[in-house]
Amino acid sequence: MHCGRIAGSGRDRAHGGFVGDTAIKQGWVNIPYIEPKPLRVGIVGSGPAGMACAADMAKAGCDVTVYEAFHQPGGVLKYGIPDFRLPNEVIDAEINNLKKFGVKFECNTLAGACSRSSR
């Protein structure tokens, strides 16, 4: 029975979740050769937007470093979404895939006005 969901939206544990969980357990990753470019990119925050940007920049050949204020990367994915909705193993697998692309994570690092010393 069709429940009205668009394929790929959310984690349907009965169907699409099986494929994703199997991919994580068996380590399915396709890391193509990427021609490195002499560009360095710093990304502030390792939430959904930061991780998507890091993936795109790494695939474009940039040297990417993600700066995260918390002690582990993941941002709102790890700290704001309950584990029963989005298991931490899934987030950790995505972070590890980014590391395989050469993305570096600097945790416990503040950026912006909060990180400036007094003048």
Side-chain angles (χ1 to χ4, degrees), residues 37-80:
K37 294 185 177 55
L39 301 172
R40 294 174 55 205
V41 176
I43 298 169
V44 177
S46 63
M51 291 206 314
C53 183
D56 288 345
M57 293 294 100
K59 289 174 187 174
C62 300
D63 179 18
V64 181
T65 303
V66 178
Y67 299 96
E68 172 58 50
F70 288 113
H71 65 283
Q72 290 183 330
V76 73
L77 296 171
K78 185 159 281 217
Y79 298 107

Side-chain angles (χ1 to χ4, degrees), residues 18-29:
F18 172 76
V19 175
D21 292 343
T22 302
I24 290 169
K25 288 177 188 169
Q26 295 185 6
W28 299 351
V29 181

Side-chain angles (χ1 to χ4, degrees), residues 4-115:
R5 289 187 181 189
I6 298 171
S9 68
R11 284 186 54 81
D12 183 355
R13 302 298 295 174
H15 300 103
F18 172 76
V19 175
D21 292 343
T22 302
I24 290 169
K25 288 177 188 169
Q26 295 185 6
W28 299 351
V29 181
N30 181 18
I31 307 291
Y33 174 75
I34 298 169
E35 185 69 36
K37 294 185 177 55
L39 301 172
R40 294 174 55 205
V41 176
I43 298 169
V44 177
S46 63
M51 291 206 314
C53 183
D56 288 345
M57 293 294 100
K59 289 174 187 174
C62 300
D63 179 18
V64 181
T65 303
V66 178
Y67 299 96
E68 172 58 50
F70 288 113
H71 65 283
Q72 290 183 330
V76 73
L77 296 171
K78 185 159 281 217
Y79 298 107
I81 299 175
D83 196 46
F84 69 88
R85 289 272 185 214
L86 180 61
N88 280 333
E89 297 83 38
V90 173
I91 301 163
D92 294 337
E94 290 301 321
I95 291 166
N96 287 332
N97 286 341
L98 287 174
K99 288 178 179 178
K100 290 176 185 175
F101 270 101
V103 174
K104 295 176 285 303
F105 290 89
E106 297 280 333
C107 295
N108 297 315
T109 304
L110 294 176
C114 296
S115 66

